[in-house]
Structures are given as C-alpha cells and as structure tokens.
C-alpha cells in the first residue's frame, strides 16, 4: 500500500451550485444590498469546485481569497442565523469581483465596467452579435437564438456546421414556450446542478432552425449565476433565448484564462465580458435527457463533478483513463468513485495537457494517490498511452479493459449489482476496440460480471469499407450492408445517388473490390454504424460533421404510433440483419414514408434486444439486463426496449448517474480493475 493521505469526506469538495431562489430575489430587489450584483451567492448556492484551489473547501482556498471582505460582508459571514453564515463565496459590489467588457475591435478605448458593461453586452446580443462571457467554469459564447444570421455566423466562426446548440432562457415561462415538458423536466431545469435538459421542441418555438438542425429536440437551461440572470433579464427588445456554447474553437478545450480568451476568442466573439474571479478548473455545462421522470445523463460536468458515486465495494485507490480524451477519467477511493468532468477537444496534445491537468487537480483535491491504473484496450487512444506511461513511471499495475465490458460494468456499478451475479449486458455502441486486433465491436450481448465477460451474441460483422472513413461517411456503411444483403447498387438507392452526384463511378468500383476481398481491412459489428447505414440508405444523411449525427437525425424522424417490424435472423451467435435491410429497401421502393421506415427500424432493434436477452435467459437463467453504450442515448429505442423487456419479466438497468456514452467508460474500467486486483 502506498502511503495514503486521509480521505476527505465526499461532501468536502462540493460541485458548483446554481443560483438559489433567495439570491435571485435579492438580485432584483432595489432595496437589497446586492441589488444587481452579478456575483451574488450564499451558503446554499454559488461556484464551488470550479474556483477551489486546494482542499478543504473554505474561502481562503478559493479564488475569492483575493478579495478582502468588507465590514458588512464580514458581519454577515459571522452571523449564525443568516443565509451567508460561513458562506465562502460571500461578496458584494464594495468588496467582491467586478465585470468589464472588452471589445477587441475597439483599439485601446477603456473597457466599460459593471452595469454598463452588462448593458452594452446585452445591446450587442440584441443586435445579433456574438459575445463571449466568462463563467465560473470557463468562457462561453452567446448569441440571439432567434436570429438565424447570428447563429449561422457563430457556426461559421466555431467551425461547427451542424451539431446542436443549447439555449439559455431567463425564466421557466420562456422554456415552456420553446419545448414540451412535464413536471420532471421543470424540476431538472431548476435543479441545483442547472443542467442543459434536452426536450421536445415545439414546432412553433421562436428559435432559428440553425440552432438544432434536423432535430426535433432542443437543449434548454436556466441561468445558474447572477450574471446570467442579469444578462437574460427580460425586456421588450431583448431576445428571450440565447444560444450558449463552450468558448473554444471546435476540437479544442474550453478557454480558461483571460489572456487565453483575448487571444483565442477574439476571432470568435465581437465582445468579451470578463471578470476578475479566477477560474481554477474548467467545467462544461452538463446535459441530461428526461427518461421515465428522472434525469438520464448525456454529459456529466458542472453541478455534478466531483460528487462521488457510492460503490458496492471498497477497493484500492485507482485511476481509470477512459476512452478518447474528451470522454473523461475516473478516480476511486475506498467505496467512492469520482468521475471527472467531460472535456472538449480532439485527440491532440493540447487536449492531452488539459486532460492530465484535470487528473492532477482532482487527485490533489481529493487527496488520492492511485495504486493502479485502468485503461481501454485501444492502443492508439492517447488516454491508453498516458495510462501505460504513468503506470510504468510509477511502477503501478496497469489493467486493460475491453471497451464494451467497461460500458456494462459502469451501469452495473451504478446499480450496485451484487458481486456474484452475472448479468446480460447489451452494449450497443458506435466504435470500440475488440479483443482481436483490427475488429470494431458495438452490437454485443455480453454475459458479464465485474471481472469478466463472454460474448454471447453479436451483430454480424461486416467489412468497414475504408476503415475509419466508414465511420465518418455513413454512405460507405450503407453500401457495405447492401452488398451483404445481396442488393445491387442501383441508381434508385440514395447512397448510390449520393456517390454518383459527386461524379465518382470509380469510388463505387473501388469499394466493391474492397468488399469482395474480405481478407483485408477492418470489420465491424457495430449497431451504431448500422443506424448510420440506415440513415444513408433511406436518404436522411450521407455525410456527418459530428459523431452520432446520422443516428440522431434518424431518431428525430421516427413516426410515433408505428408498431410495424422488420424480420431479423439469429443464427448461432450471430444476429443477421440482411432481411431487415432487404425489407427497408422494399419499403423505400414502394414509397413508404421515411418516418414509418425509421419507426419500424427502431422497433426491429428493440425486438432484437428482446430476442437476444430471451435466448440468454433460456440458456442461463439470467433475467437482469444492463443497457449501456452510446446508442442508448436514443430515447426512442431505450423506451421501446425497456418496455418490451419489462413486459416479459426482465429486470432492466439503465444509466441514471453517468452517461451511457464514453463519458461513463472510465467508471466501468475502474470497477473492473478494482475487482480484478482484489481477486
Ligand atoms: Zn443563494
Ligand atoms: Zn462586501
Ligand atoms: Fe463506447
């Protein structure tokens, strides 16, 4: 055992807390001492994790240490019956942080300060300009969500053509005008974590279509700081909803320091609203869906991190490094797991630096020194390389965990499944390194325990024409499935049309050759890629600009109240969807509407889940099913699969605390490692 410093209680490092009702009321009460003060907070709300330098959480260890309390604040700080008794973030206009507005185009004119800075920023936003705003966890970019030109300009500058943006609205009333929602959604919007909640967008919502193109959903959040409340204050000529997106060029981490902001955000924003409260840790906005009345996490960051999950077992302190860098890491100590926060950015050195910085910071804050390291099997992930190098340098055991096993275990850990109970893990994913070199999995029925797994059934693996390229170009996967189903690539089929539109008959011939020489190239059993293929096959999406785009646009088209199904075969261990593909093509040729085909396809996949589970239950007597992997972000599929399984007396576990996508992977890796090292 390494010499472990004492474990701080999990509540010692609180996550950031959205502005409370009392503070909001004071903010707009002219008689209050903190009337219109952007950094208003109390013992019940305010930034925590993002401004903490070192444990324990107390004022002297946060960015507020730089501000000496005035006499009045000091008095409130010491008054045991007040809401600001021992409130570390206590501040006011006299003694606390201040805002100012910099306009890069304006040369050296002195920046506007305080209320006039906010007023000017609002004026810019109302005029359709893009404003960068420093938040407690990093810089964000804002613009008028109803202004199509402003949103298009933001997309152009960020180099983010299609991926949906979220919007922030000043009040619940506006959120209800934009989206359909029930009480659970309202509660989540108002929750202290203040996540982005992905909701069904009303067809008449006053939002530019560019905000979430080809989607029927919209991510909405409410203000989480006093500054947001002031920025979004309703006024006759002010937009009711603002796009809020992370302040960074696409593929790079969130901008944190003021110097960085001046340099990297100047080309993106017309003005930058800054303040002098330093950010200690970057934290993105969290994203949830609502499923069966509760949060279903898609991205775990601000408001949730670094709150721990309680595990069923104690183990040695561990670090798990996750999948791609943006998908985050996880630390454990005793019976607690601390997933790190989602990180933007591609697989590059800049992101790797932020990734290692986040690990070091959380290890410091939680006083954890890992005694083993877990990582993915993928040799090319920078997170796996980091894990290997660090394990070597520190002489620690390295545990390599198969991608889909880690997904399933992440969900098992959330549900505290007993040690000796094997489960049916349905890991539906887009990519993931198999146990064999060069194979991509993602349509797996695993018999899984915490330590190990067996592959019981899987989607048929077919060639990935062009390897990685097939992942980025859904039409390639569509052609591969047509070939596999023995359907000629005729010109009436949308993916064939797409290739020919680009004038390239030779591409078709080259892919045909690749497909026929089956010995070469990568193969894949991914359900995610099957979704992509179907999206291209019926003409919804042939090229993508962000991961999961084709599958998300497919889900957005589902015609509700369509209960039809396509056939699907299970032979031996292989699930073969060629009949599904054939029937889809037949429907397409008969002119069946897209929405109906898409609904039937979703129903088919839900039935395939049920079939696979039923077979395993017959053979093994297991009736607990665990659903994980990024395809389970699809709420339509999730809803149908859960209902079908429950109707047949299965016990179904799905995610409630970490995302089903790779954001949850590290938790699974950590728990697998914990159990393997114990045994
Ligand atoms: Zn408060
Ligand atoms: Zn003060
Ligand atoms: Fe995955």
């Amino acid at each position: 055992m390494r010499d472990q410093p004492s474990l701080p209680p999990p509540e010692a490092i609180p996550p950031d807390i959205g502005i409370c009702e009392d503070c909001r009321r004071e903010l707009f009460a002219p008689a209050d001492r903190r009337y219109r003060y952007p950094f208003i907070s109390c013992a019940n709300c305010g930034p925590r994790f993002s401004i903490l330098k070192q444990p324990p959480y107390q004022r002297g260890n946060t960015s507020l240490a730089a501000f000496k309390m005035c006499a009045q604040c000091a008095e409130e700080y010491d008054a045991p019956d007040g809401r600001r008794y021992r409130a570390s973030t206590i501040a006011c206009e006299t003694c606390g942080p201040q805002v100012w507005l910099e306009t890069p185009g304006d040369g050296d004119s002195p920046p506007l300060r305080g209320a006039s800075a906010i007023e000017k920023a609002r004026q810019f936003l109302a005029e359709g300009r893009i404003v960068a705003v420093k938040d407690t966890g990093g810089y964000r970019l804002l613009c008028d969500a109803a202004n199509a030109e402003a949103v298009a300009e933001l997309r152009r500058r960020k180099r983010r053509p299609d991926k949906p943006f979220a919007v922030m609205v000043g009040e619940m009333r506006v959120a209800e005008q934009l989206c359909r929602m029930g009480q659970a959604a309202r509660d989540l919007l108002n929750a202290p974590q203040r996540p982005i909640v992905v909701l069904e967008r009303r067809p008449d919502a006053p939002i530019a279509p560019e905000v979430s193109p080809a989607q029927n959903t919209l991510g909405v959040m409410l203000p989480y700081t006093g500054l947001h409340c002031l920025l979004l204050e309703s006024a006759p000529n002010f937009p009711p909803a603002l796009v809020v997106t992370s302040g960074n060029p696409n593929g790079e981490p969130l901008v944190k320091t003021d110097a960085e902001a001046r340099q990297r955000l100047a080309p993106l924003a017309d003005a930058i609203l800054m303040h002098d409260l330093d950010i200690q840790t970057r934290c993105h906005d969290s994203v949830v869906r609502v499923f069966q009345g509760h949060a279903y996490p898609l991205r775990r960051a601000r408001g949730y991190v670094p709150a721990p999950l309680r595990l069923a077992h104690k183990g040695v302190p561990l670090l798990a490094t996750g999948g791609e860098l943006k998908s985050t890491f996880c630390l454990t100590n005793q019976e607690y797991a601390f997933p790190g926060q989602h990180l933007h950015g591609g697989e590059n050195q800049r992101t790797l630096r932020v990734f290692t910085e986040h690990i070091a910071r959380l290890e410091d804050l939680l006083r954890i020194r890992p005694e083993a390291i877990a990582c993915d099997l993928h040799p090319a992930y920078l997170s796996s390389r980091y894990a290997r190098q660090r394990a070597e340098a520190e002489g620690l055991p390295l545990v390599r965990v198969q991608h889909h096993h880690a997904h399933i275990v992440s969900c098992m850990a959330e549900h505290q499944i007993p040690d000796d109970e094997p489960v049916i893990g349905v890991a539906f994913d887009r990519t993931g390194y198999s146990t064999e070199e060069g194979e991509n999995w993602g349509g797996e029925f695993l018999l899984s325990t915490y330590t190990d797994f067996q592959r019981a059934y899987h989607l048929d693996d077919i060639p990935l024409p062009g390897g990685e390229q097939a992942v980025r170009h859904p039409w390639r996967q569509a052609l591969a499935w047509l070939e596999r189903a023995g359907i000629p690539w005729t010109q009436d089929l949308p993916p064939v049309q797409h290739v020919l539109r680009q004038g390239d008959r030779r591409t078709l011939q080259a892919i045909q050759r690749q497909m026929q020489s089956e010995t070469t190239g990568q193969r894949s059993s991914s359900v995610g890629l099957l979704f992509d293929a179907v999206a291209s096959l019926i003409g919804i999406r042939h090229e993508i600009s962000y991961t999961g785009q084709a599958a998300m646009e497919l889900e957005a088209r589902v015609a509700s109240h369509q209960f039809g199904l396509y056939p699907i075969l299970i032979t031996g261990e292989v699930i073969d969807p060629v009949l599904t593909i054939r029937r889809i093509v037949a429907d397409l040729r008969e002119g069946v509407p897209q929405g109906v085909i898409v609904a039937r396809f979703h129903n088919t996949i839900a039935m395939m889940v049920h079939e696979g589970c039923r077979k395993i239950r017959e053979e093994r007597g297991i009736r607990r099913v665990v659903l994980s992997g990024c395809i389970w972000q699809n709420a339509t599929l999730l809803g149908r699969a859960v209902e079908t399984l429950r109707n047949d007396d299965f016990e179904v576990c799905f995610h409630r605390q970490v995302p089903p996508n790779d954001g949850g992977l590290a938790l699974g890796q950590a728990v697998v490692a914990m159990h393997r090292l114990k045994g």
Side-chain angles (χ1 to χ4, degrees), residues 110-122:
L112 291 170
R113 302 193 150 268
S116 32
I118 295 173
E119 205 34 60
K120 185 72 183 174
R122 279 168 58 90

Side-chain angles (χ1 to χ4, degrees), residues 18-24 40-46 83-84:
I19 184 168
C20 72
E21 263 317 303
D22 292 326
C23 284
R24 200 187 157 104
I40 187 168
S41 70
C42 70
N44 306 322
C45 76
R83 219 172 76 243
R84 294 191 171 86

Side-chain angles (χ1 to χ4, degrees), residues 488-499:
W489 295 350
T490 51
Q491 291 199 25
D492 63 323
L493 296 170
V496 178
Q497 282 165 12
H498 173 76
V499 181

